[in-house]
Amino acid sequence: LHDKVVAVVARLFRSLRLDVIVEPTSLFDHSLGDVSNQRPDIHIRNPRNSRDQVIIDVALTGVDGQSRTSDEAVERPLQVRYDQKIAKYGQVAKQNELRLIPAVFSHTGQVHEAFKVFAKEQIRAKLEHFEGPVKNSKVRSHMNWWVKCISAVIAKTASRNVAFKARKLSDSIMESQDSFIMREFEDAEVYFGDDCEEIVADAGNNADLYAANQGSTELINEAYTEEAPLRFMGQDVFHHQPLSLD
């Protein structure tokens, strides 16, 4: 899921005609300390209206974890992940004269404000460069489309993961039932001895029941989306249509 979100975020920034590198290597100065485990997800080498180059690190979080202290603190989990990214990359980014933008998203489509501010800044700069002064409503419209693209990728991947886990659970249940029936039959055969024919008949009845149950244990059908090309700011991007369940 993380890698798919990184890919769509990178593609959206490239649609603004920015030079974007995914998972850059040798970005930090190793003479400043051990940075072997510090590699941001995205490096923007030519952001508009910014003196420094930009690094973006993507994080996804739930909205109902331990970091949410109350029902009203809906943004708290996103802020906790944001603070973690600042703690990990903030100092090394400053030492290398880079601007750090943590991109924190929830599994339900929420976006941390810091990423939205930067994205709107770059969208506005691109529009003004090619079209002149633009209205705030147009910038908001483009930002809303970005959020929909990211949310669609999250929803699509998450639903596939749910379907996969449900299928594994179903298979596990079937294997457990099969193992139980066979073990029960073997134990009964050893215990009853001469009554083997009766046990075999009874096991056959259980097998029929197991076969009947197996046909009705499908837990979930995999969710899917269809992708169709769209034009965004004069470039081919993509659009995810609403999710549907078979």
Side-chain angles (χ1 to χ4, degrees):
L1 177 57
H2 171 271
D3 292 345
K4 292 184 181 297
V5 174
V6 169
V8 72
V9 169
R11 192 168 183 178
L12 288 169
F13 278 110
R14 287 181 181 131
S15 72
L16 302 178
R17 299 188 181 181
L18 298 177
D19 186 4
V20 178
I21 301 174
V22 176
E23 294 186 354
T25 58
S26 304
L27 182 62
F28 300 137
D29 185 356
H30 287 259
S31 65
L32 299 174
D34 183 13
V35 293
S36 57
N37 66 333
Q38 294 177 312
R39 186 175 68 178
D41 294 311
I42 295 172
H43 177 207
I44 302 178
R45 299 199 290 188
N46 62 335
R48 290 186 171 87
N49 298 339
S50 178
R51 179 178 60 87
D52 299 327
Q53 296 183 14
V54 171
I55 56 174
I56 297 175
D57 204 59
V58 172
L60 291 105
T61 182
V63 295
D64 55 355
Q66 294 180 351
S67 58
R68 181 171 177 177
T69 55
S70 68
D71 291 339
E72 289 75 26
V74 293
E75 301 292 336
R76 179 62 181 166
L78 275 72
Q79 186 62 41
V80 169
R81 293 293 284 134
Y82 175 87
D83 293 340
Q84 291 173 349
K85 292 299 182 182
I86 292 294
K88 181 177 181 180
Y89 290 105
Q91 185 64 27
V92 68
K94 184 177 180 180
Q95 291 173 340
N96 288 270
E97 298 183 347
L98 297 167
R99 180 182 176 187
L100 171 63
I101 306 293
V104 184
F105 309 101
S106 76
H107 294 151
T108 55
Q110 294 169 298
V111 183
H112 192 276
E113 189 63 25
F115 176 80
K116 289 194 291 187
V117 168
F118 175 70
K120 288 179 181 179
E121 169 191 308
Q122 295 303 305
I123 291 171
R124 178 181 294 278
K126 162 69 185 305
L127 292 173
E128 289 179 345
H129 180 78
F130 289 95
E131 302 177 13
V134 295
K135 296 181 179 180
N136 291 335
S137 59
K138 188 170 185 178
V139 176
R140 286 196 301 269
S141 176
H142 284 298
M143 187 67 227
N144 289 338
W145 193 81
W146 277 39
V147 172
K148 289 180 180 179
C149 288
I150 296 170
S151 298
V153 170
I154 294 173
K156 177 180 179 180
T157 307
S159 58
R160 281 180 172 174
N161 289 342
V162 169
F164 175 74
K165 291 178 180 179
R167 292 179 191 278
K168 287 189 66 177
L169 177 61
S170 176
D171 292 342
S172 177
I173 291 173
M174 292 300 99
E175 290 176 1
S176 297
Q177 288 181 350
D178 189 32
S179 176
F180 174 79
I181 291 173
M182 294 305 297
R183 185 171 62 252
E184 185 180 52
F185 167 70
E186 291 172 357
D187 291 345
E189 184 178 22
V190 171
Y191 179 79
F192 286 103
D194 296 337
D195 297 326
C196 184
E197 293 184 2
E198 181 180 350
I199 301 302
V200 169
D202 185 63
N205 293 333
N206 285 335
D208 291 340
L209 179 60
Y210 161 73
N213 288 338
Q214 186 177 20
S216 61
T217 53
E218 186 70 21
L219 299 181
I220 188 171
N221 287 322
E222 181 175 352
Y224 68 92
T225 62
E226 297 179 355
E227 297 182 359
L230 279 185
R231 300 284 294 177
F232 176 67
M233 292 186 173
Q235 300 187 39
D236 288 331
V237 194
F238 58 90
H239 173 65
H240 292 271
Q241 297 180 356
L243 296 171
S244 63
L245 292 174
D246 290 338

